[in-house]
Structures are given as structure tokens and as C-alpha cells.
Amino acid sequence: CLSYVGTEGTRYALTTFDFDGRLLGSGAAMPGRHGRVCAPGLSSSHGHAGYTIVRLSARRGSHAVPDLYAHLARDRSGALSVIGIDRR
């Protein structure tokens, strides 16, 4: 989940990819009343320690915000953790 303040009119599109860049799934979300965004049900990779790339695309009103890429992998407990973020 993400949490932001002042996100009226903001919409998010999330897309997941595996280690090799193959599409795993996609979803859309809008912030809730307190600015929190959750996108349950997105697919993560099963190979390469669960390495998954999440592309987060956002629009605020009619303006696109540059995409953000979150790189995730499974930690020793098996939970997905962020291991890097980039804007390419």
C-alpha cells in the first residue's frame, strides 16, 4: 500500500513484470479517503527469488506523472521486499 496526502483526482495504474520483463499482470487504483492506495491481487514472479518489477503510472487530473519502477524480491522470510526504485 502507498500513502500520500493531497491526492484528489489522482489515479494509479500498476503493472508487474518478471525478471525477464514478461508481463505478469496489471491493475488500477485510486487513493482512499486518507490518501492510501492498495492494489491487491497483483501477480509476482515465482522465479529468481520472486524478483518482480512493478511499474507505477500516475495521473493527477489531466497531467501524467513520470512512471516509477519498484524492484521487489523475496527476503529470507519469503516476504516481498523493495530492493530498488528507479524512474528510468
Side-chain angles (χ1 to χ4, degrees):
C1 294
L2 305 171
S3 185
Y4 297 102
V5 176
T7 57
E8 274 187 44
T10 302
R11 296 176 312 280
Y12 297 97
L14 297 99
T15 309
T16 56
F17 303 91
D18 71 5
F19 179 84
D20 294 315
R22 287 187 293 260
L23 177 68
L24 296 172
S26 61
M30 292 182 69
R33 200 172 97 190
H34 298 288
R36 190 171 184 164
V37 176
C38 293
L42 287 177
S43 298
S44 60
S45 179
H46 296 289
H48 291 86
Y51 185 85
T52 302
I53 301 167
V54 179
R55 179 178 64 206
L56 175 66
S57 303
R59 294 194 65 80
R60 291 195 177 112
S62 63
H63 297 47
V65 176
D67 288 348
L68 179 135
Y69 294 82
H71 300 261
L72 312 174
R74 299 212 178 272
D75 63 19
R76 291 176 193 217
S77 73
L80 278 175
S81 297
V82 175
I83 60 170
I85 296 175
D86 72 75
R87 288 206 182 257
R88 297 191 186 182

